[in-house]
Amino acid sequence: MSGFFTLLDPRRVQWGAAWYAMHSRILRTKPVESMLEGTGATTAHGTKLAQVLTTVDLISLGVGSCVGTGMYVVSGLVAKEMAGPGVIVSFIIAAVASILSGVCYAEFGVRVPKTTGSAYTYSYVTVGEFVAFFIGWNLILEYLIGTAAGASALSSMFDSLANHTISRWMADSVGTLNGLGKGEESYPDLLALLIAVIVTIIVALGVKNSVGFNNVLNVLNLAVWVFIMIAGLFFINGKYWAEGQFLPHGWSGVLQGAATCFYAFIGFDIIATTGEEAKNPNTSIPYAITASLVICLTAYVSVSVILTLMVPYYTIDTESPLMEMFVAHGFYAAKFVVAIGSVAGLTVSLLGSLFPMPRVIYAMAGDGLLFRFLAHVSSYTETPVVACIVSGFLAALLALLVSLRDLIEMMSIGTLLAYTLVSVCVLLLRYQPESDIDGFVKFLSEEHTKKKEGILADCEKEACSPVSEGDEFSGPATNTCGAKNLPSLGDNEMLIGKSDKSTYNVNHPNYGTVDMTTGIEADESENIYLIKLKKLIGPHYYTMRIRLGLPGKMDRPTAATGHTVTICVLLLFILMFIFCSFIIFGSDYISEQSWWAILLVVLMVLLISTLVFVILQQPENPKKLPYMAPCLPFVPAFAMLVNIYLMLKLSTITWIRFAVWCFVEFPFKVLSMLIPKLPPSWTRQLRS
């Protein structure tokens, strides 16, 4: 051991080399192409994850992970303590912000389809390793809390069914402790721990079995939702919304409730972690994200309407609101019907929260940012079994000790941060150049604008090519014709004319850049929004583009324009954070119409608008995908603004807990960066 401390002598450390190595690792990004090879990812142990999930399975995972705890717990909690009947508006606001972030997730799901890392991987390919580690660490926190919250909610529901005899027995038999976050009479929730362990075993047994179990529970949950809608109509009373009771805490309560309601919309985030296990991720992921958000919003709004019209908001039971609202009207049989749905909904929510956590850990461990043994995939179950066990143990421990409300608020901040970073990544990646396709794009642009040259090139190809037109070229990756202006990009690349659809799949380096049937740039096919804008403005459209300095079709991003966008996005993030902080914490000065406060708000709005306009002036990457976020840069920018605002609306204690969790992560990151760069003798000492 003394030899190890001798090695730590500062005089023996090459500080210049160590600083350069750390700086390089912080900023380095992961190539997208490294995740597009083959049909599945192979781990360091040689075992692939099972590719068995369909679009319906992904929708079921997303809806189940949301609707369970969101419908049976969060709706009552927010209605009673934050927004009253205005919880309906809170859910709508949260849904709008989720949809804005959802389209960004959907684009990355197509751009980087074969990944289990979700926002972690998206940040890794765009921003860099350090930010990716930060996001991955907080994704683990998000799913960890979601699993613990699901187990705690399921335990509370069982306790309610048993007339709270379970909680009284545990308080009397096990005892109570202070500081667990469950109130004055705190007790270790052993039932929640047991539930978390059982669900961990189900997830570790294999993806096909766990998703099949998930689908059965979702069908049962859907049937109970229909029952709640029909039965609740017989007990609604409009007086609970009258005389200012709809917004008892004002818009501030509605917005604070919207931040907590974000917990109910994390389903599409979970869908993004199934890239390696989906049969067709580049189409299944965006479809599943869209469908999940629409279904969840419909369920939340309808249930919130029934709940707040059946009982006064201040009498809602926060632990089991949907069951107790029928009890308040003497309909005891409905309580047990809803209880069946609660068991199914909360179980599937718990399953959906635990399902992605080991997959994010697996992705980070595979990249060397966590311990390598966590990336082990069982050859029998084809799941990251070690990561599953570790995840389940931590979630069970958290469910044992922490209250449901604290868990929900802590989870919201991790989700909002991930959504913000994904929006940032979309803005950055869409305006960056791609050197590997630049030459091919320029070549196709020139040939498409010169029809005669294209015909001559076709003739030259027919005369020189050893195969007939339409056949796949199987020769070496060289130009067989000898023409200097004709590139050769690969064995299965057609030069001009119609191309074989099979050669342009998601693994192809030029996937999305050219039209699969014509070989023409996909950028030349205008989207529906641009067509509508042209019709609205008329002949002045092109004049306006020139005067505003907007890029043309043939403009391509360069390193300089990409750097400009990066600087603008960074400034935009900082300015939005300052703007939202002033709107929230300086609201009194704004409501009093202080001249300096109004001037400061107007100035920040102008600066934000200017930065967005500068980004708009930069040319986009011509690569086209089956799904892309619309209305760039406005949709990602507005998603950033909403997410930052909702993050700042969370309580102070939530930020303190979040800061502690972030502080815990830095030793892991520093070790992951330093150990590979240390001398062999140092590495052996540290690992021993």
Side-chain angles (χ1 to χ4, degrees):
M1 194 66 181
S2 58
F4 171 70
F5 285 107
T6 303
L7 292 174
L8 295 179
D9 187 349
R11 291 172 296 181
R12 299 172 61 93
V13 179
Q14 297 179 357
W15 295 106
W19 169 253
Y20 177 78
M22 180 179 294
H23 182 266
S24 300
R25 291 204 63 180
I26 286 175
L27 298 180
R28 72 178 181 180
T29 58
K30 186 174 184 178
V32 178
E33 292 76 12
S34 66
M35 290 170 286
L36 297 180
E37 298 176 358
T39 59
T42 304
T43 69
H45 301 274
T47 304
K48 298 178 181 178
L49 299 180
Q51 274 189 298
V52 296
L53 300 182
T54 64
T55 303
V56 176
D57 292 331
L58 298 187
I59 294 174
S60 180
L61 272 175
V63 172
S65 65
C66 296
V67 171
T69 309
M71 185 168 72
Y72 292 102
V73 179
V74 175
S75 57
L77 179 66
V78 174
K80 182 176 182 178
E81 301 188 7
M82 299 179 188
V87 64
I88 299 168
V89 183
S90 295
F91 272 124
I92 293 175
I93 293 174
V96 170
S98 295
I99 290 171
L100 294 175
S101 301
V103 296
C104 298
Y105 264 93
E107 175 174 331
F108 263 108
V110 174
R111 190 180 293 274
V112 192
K114 296 186 181 301
T115 177
T116 60
S118 183
Y120 155 73
T121 304
Y122 304 160
S123 302
Y124 206 163
V125 303
T126 309
V127 182
E129 183 175 300
F130 183 80
V131 175
F133 184 85
F134 179 76
I135 291 299
W137 188 259
N138 286 285
L139 280 176
I140 294 173
L141 171 67
E142 172 190 335
Y143 298 133
L144 180 66
I145 292 173
T147 304
S152 181
L154 202 56
S155 174
S156 297
M157 190 273 302
F158 282 128
D159 186 40
S160 178
L161 285 176
N163 294 322
H164 303 286
T165 57
I166 297 177
S167 58
R168 287 195 294 267
W169 179 85
M170 279 195 281
D172 295 337
S173 302
V174 181
T176 59
L177 294 172
N178 294 325
L180 294 183
K182 293 179 179 289
E184 295 181 358
E185 296 184 357
S186 303
Y187 62 90
D189 197 343
L190 297 177
L191 180 58
L193 182 144
L194 179 62
I195 292 169
V197 170
I198 293 174
V199 175
T200 300
I201 295 173
I202 295 174
V203 172
L205 286 177
V207 61
K208 195 170 183 179
N209 296 327
S210 57
V211 170
F213 180 65
N214 177 85
N215 294 342
V216 172
L217 293 178
N218 267 333
V219 172
L220 185 59
N221 193 28
L222 176 62
V224 174
W225 173 73
V226 173
F227 171 80
I228 293 173
M229 293 298 99
I230 297 175
L233 292 176
F234 293 96
F235 302 102
I236 60 176
N237 193 332
K239 70 178 183 180
Y240 298 135
W241 285 11
E243 300 177 359
Q245 294 188 65
F246 188 78
L247 298 177
H249 304 293
W251 285 102
S252 176
V254 169
L255 293 174
Q256 184 180 0
T260 302
C261 285
F262 246 84
Y263 170 76
F265 289 96
I266 65 163
F268 68 83
D269 183 17
I270 290 172
I271 292 170
T273 65
T274 61
E276 289 188 22
E277 295 165 293
K279 291 181 178 179
N280 192 11
N282 60 313
T283 56
S284 296
I285 289 178
Y287 291 156
I289 288 174
T290 305
S292 297
L293 288 173
V294 172
I295 294 172
C296 292
L297 177 60
T298 303
Y300 296 148
V301 171
S302 59
V303 166
S304 298
V305 168
I306 296 295
L307 175 62
T308 55
L309 284 176
M310 283 186 63
V311 293
Y313 74 90
Y314 47 84
T315 64
I316 293 175
D317 186 281
T318 55
E319 293 185 346
S320 304
L322 300 187
M323 287 191 296
E324 297 301 327
M325 74 179 182
F326 285 109
V327 173
H329 290 274
F331 192 6
Y332 295 99
K335 174 180 179 178
F336 296 99
V337 175
V338 176
I340 296 173
S342 298
V343 173
L346 295 178
T347 303
V348 79
S349 176
L350 174 58
L351 184 69
S353 296
L354 182 58
F355 183 85
M357 180 164 47
R359 283 150 179 82
V360 173
I361 295 175
Y362 155 80
M364 296 180 68
D367 291 333
L369 300 185
L370 291 177
F371 301 111
R372 287 283 185 180
F373 72 89
L374 294 172
H376 173 72
V377 176
S378 170
S379 58
Y380 177 73
T381 62
E382 295 181 302
T383 57
V385 64
V386 177
C388 285
I389 294 172
V390 173
S391 303
F393 172 77
L394 294 176
L397 185 63
L398 197 61
L400 178 71
L401 301 177
V402 185
S403 70
L404 180 61
R405 175 185 175 135
D406 294 337
L407 288 170
I408 290 175
E409 287 201 357
M410 285 181 65
M411 184 171 184
S412 294
I413 192 170
T415 307
L416 289 166
L417 182 64
Y419 290 178
T420 303
L421 263 294
V422 170
S423 302
V424 169
C425 291
V426 168
L427 271 179
L428 292 176
L429 203 58
R430 286 277 285 272
Y431 290 96
Q432 301 302 318
E434 289 191 48
S435 57
D436 59 329
I437 64 172
D438 186 61
F440 185 64
V441 169
K442 288 181 178 178
F443 166 73
L444 287 178
S445 301
E446 294 170 359
E447 293 298 319
H448 180 59
T449 55
K450 300 178 181 179
K451 183 178 180 181
K452 183 177 179 180
E453 293 181 8
I455 295 174
L456 292 175
D458 278 339
C459 295
E460 185 178 9
K461 177 177 178 293
E462 289 178 2
C464 300
S465 177
V467 292
S468 61
E469 183 181 1
D471 292 337
E472 185 177 356
F473 179 65
S474 57
T478 56
N479 183 5
T480 58
C481 300
K484 296 180 180 180
N485 64 329
L486 294 180
S488 181
L489 298 179
D491 292 348
N492 55 358
E493 182 66 64
M494 296 283 297
L495 295 182
I496 301 176
K498 294 183 178 180
S499 58
D500 186 359
K501 292 183 181 180
S502 63
T503 63
Y504 287 98
N505 51 39
V506 69
N507 302 326
H508 197 279
N510 297 316
Y511 169 69
T513 307
V514 296
D515 187 276
M516 295 184 183
T517 58
T518 63
I520 306 303
E521 272 187 283
D523 186 53
E524 297 187 9
S525 58
E526 298 170 347
N527 59 58
I528 187 172
Y529 303 102
L530 189 57
I531 294 174
K532 289 182 178 180
L533 183 62
K534 284 185 176 181
K535 291 182 179 179
L536 179 65
I537 299 177
H540 302 289
Y541 170 78
Y542 293 102
T543 304
M544 182 192 70
R545 288 185 65 91
I546 293 174
R547 290 181 177 177
L548 294 177
L550 301 180
K553 284 184 180 180
M554 307 310 297
D555 292 331
R556 296 291 178 265
T558 62
T561 61
H563 182 70
T564 299
V565 171
T566 302
I567 297 298
C568 288
V569 171
L570 178 61
L571 294 176
L572 191 64
F573 180 85
I574 296 173
L575 193 58
M576 284 181 175
F577 190 89
I578 298 173
F579 174 74
C580 294
S581 300
F582 185 74
I583 291 294
I584 294 172
F585 303 109
S587 57
D588 293 338
Y589 299 105
I590 298 174
S591 60
E592 294 172 0
Q593 297 184 353
S594 301
W595 67 269
W596 62 271
I598 300 298
L599 180 63
L600 187 59
V601 169
V602 172
L603 180 61
M604 285 190 288
V605 170
L606 290 176
L607 289 175
I608 291 174
S609 302
T610 301
L611 289 173
V612 172
F613 181 72
V614 172
I615 296 174
L616 185 65
Q617 288 181 314
Q618 310 308 312
E620 288 186 42
N621 192 293
K623 186 171 184 176
K624 292 296 179 182
L625 302 169
Y627 183 88
M628 302 182 74
C631 303
L632 234 67
F634 302 106
V635 167
F638 191 68
M640 290 169 55
L641 181 65
V642 173
N643 293 330
I644 292 172
Y645 180 84
L646 292 176
M647 273 195 294
L648 293 173
K649 288 293 291 184
L650 293 172
S651 61
T652 305
I653 189 64
T654 301
W655 278 93
I656 294 174
R657 292 167 181 151
F658 176 72
V660 171
W661 177 260
C662 293
F663 179 77
V664 171
E665 84 173 287
F666 282 104
F668 289 94
K669 180 56 185 171
V670 171
L671 283 175
S672 70
M673 290 189 299
L674 286 180
I675 288 179
K677 302 300 179 183
L678 294 176
S681 57
W682 290 43
T683 304
R684 286 193 297 269
Q685 290 279 359
L686 285 173
R687 288 177 176 172
S688 61

